[in-house]
Amino acid sequence: MERTYSHIDLDERRKIARWRMAGLSVSIIAEKLGRHRSTIFREIKRNMFVDKVVPDLDGYYCVAAHDMACDRRAKLRKLARYSHVRQSVIERIMHGWSPQQIAGRMRLEQHPISVSHETIYKFAYSADGQAIKLWRHLPEHRARRRPRHARRKQGQRFSPELNILRRPEVVADRKRQIPFSNATIDPCQSAATASSRGNQFAELCLAASVDTVAVVAAGVRYVSRRLAILSSRISAVFSPMTTPTTRRPFFVADVTRL
């Protein structure tokens, strides 16, 4: 498909500056360049040089206009100009943070220099990001980014019955801690917490990273060690024992729920 639009280059800016010095109108300049007159008006307005000390020097200069346009269109401009922001983004990506989490944390903490998640994705898939293989630490671990139309949301992910607004009142009020059997993640310490559903017993075990595979592997290793210890201490598979907190009968079969 033939390209129908191109940005104004330095050669066209030289012609605009020269014709303005000759006193030609914007309509004539646009006709000579084969562009719409609104394009020329916008070019002159956005790239006009303004000197606050000597106002007589105000005007449209081709080199200054080209530099201002390049600064606006600089790819990944914030991450390219501010090295401390770039290094902070790289460290968080390598620690398992997603670009959405990084951008959201910057907005929440009101950083003076913040970037959007789209800028972070562009940096990760740029030449600099590919050099250190940042894509390996992104949530989907894709070496190449999918096309834009494939990244659109495909509709509602959860059914209305699973909406958080339908959670029980005891959970909403936070009056007591409900035991669970899932593995939770601490993003700062890469820790997985395994808890039993029946006796509210919990134990902390370290995971290699914060991704799902590492957390599940850490939970499986913990459960295997726990089962081996309990099996060596009891003679029968279903021999009762008591928990350290409630002193209720507790069977080995319940440990598989961890």
Side-chain angles (χ1 to χ4, degrees):
M1 182 177 179
E2 185 179 357
R3 189 175 182 180
T4 58
Y5 176 80
S6 61
H7 292 278
I8 297 178
D9 55 15
L10 181 58
D11 183 60
E12 290 179 313
R13 290 189 171 97
R14 289 195 180 101
K15 295 178 181 178
I16 293 174
R18 186 169 61 252
W19 289 337
R20 278 178 56 83
M21 291 291 294
L24 298 182
S25 65
V26 173
S27 301
I28 297 177
I29 295 175
E31 183 179 357
K32 285 179 172 294
L33 293 177
R35 292 183 177 270
H36 196 275
R37 60 193 302 269
S38 62
T39 302
I40 308 302
F41 271 117
R42 183 169 58 250
E43 166 66 20
I44 296 174
K45 181 179 179 181
R46 297 180 69 185
N47 299 325
M48 178 74 69
F49 176 77
V50 178
D51 194 328
K52 297 181 180 179
V53 180
V54 185
D56 294 339
L57 296 179
D58 295 353
Y60 182 86
Y61 304 100
C62 57
V63 177
H66 188 70
D67 291 341
M68 285 188 285
C70 291
D71 288 341
R72 282 196 307 270
R73 296 189 61 246
K75 191 176 183 180
L76 314 173
R77 55 187 180 273
K78 287 186 178 180
L79 296 180
R81 287 185 295 177
Y82 305 108
S83 59
H84 64 286
V85 178
R86 179 175 65 253
Q87 186 61 32
S88 177
V89 168
I90 292 175
E91 291 177 356
R92 281 168 171 76
I93 290 178
M94 289 187 172
H95 280 83
W97 289 48
S98 67
Q100 288 83 354
Q101 290 174 329
I102 298 173
R105 175 59 61 178
M106 286 184 173
R107 291 193 300 268
L108 181 64
E109 296 179 353
Q110 298 181 354
H111 281 246
I113 302 174
S114 60
V115 295
S116 65
H117 69 278
E118 184 66 24
T119 301
I120 299 175
Y121 272 116
K122 288 182 179 179
F123 172 75
Y125 287 104
S126 66
D128 295 335
Q130 291 283 1
I132 57 179
K133 297 183 178 180
L134 277 182
W135 57 269
R136 291 185 174 181
H137 305 278
L138 294 177
E140 296 186 357
H141 312 287
R142 293 180 180 271
R144 292 185 178 181
R145 198 176 184 191
R146 292 182 298 173
R148 180 175 298 180
H149 64 85
R151 300 196 302 266
R152 296 176 181 175
K153 295 182 179 179
Q154 302 298 326
Q156 192 173 14
R157 181 174 297 181
F158 300 102
S159 62
E161 291 77 10
L162 300 179
N163 194 302
I164 193 172
L165 298 177
R166 297 178 177 270
R167 59 185 177 179
E169 295 182 0
V170 65
V171 177
D173 297 338
R174 298 186 178 182
K175 295 181 179 179
R176 69 180 180 87
Q177 181 181 0
I178 297 180
F180 55 91
S181 60
N182 297 334
T184 59
I185 304 172
D186 183 355
C188 299
Q189 302 295 334
S190 300
T193 306
S195 304
S196 68
R197 190 179 298 275
N199 60 356
Q200 299 184 5
F201 176 81
E203 184 166 336
L204 190 69
C205 55
L206 293 178
S209 62
V210 297
D211 57 88
T212 305
V213 177
V215 172
V216 172
V220 171
R221 289 196 301 269
Y222 163 74
V223 172
S224 301
R225 290 196 302 267
R226 192 69 180 170
L227 286 174
I229 294 173
L230 292 177
S231 299
S232 62
R233 290 183 180 180
I234 58 177
S235 57
V237 176
F238 293 96
S239 297
M241 58 181 294
T242 57
T243 61
T245 55
T246 59
R247 295 295 177 184
R248 295 180 299 170
F250 182 64
F251 296 92
V252 177
D254 294 333
V255 183
T256 58
R257 300 180 182 178
L258 291 176

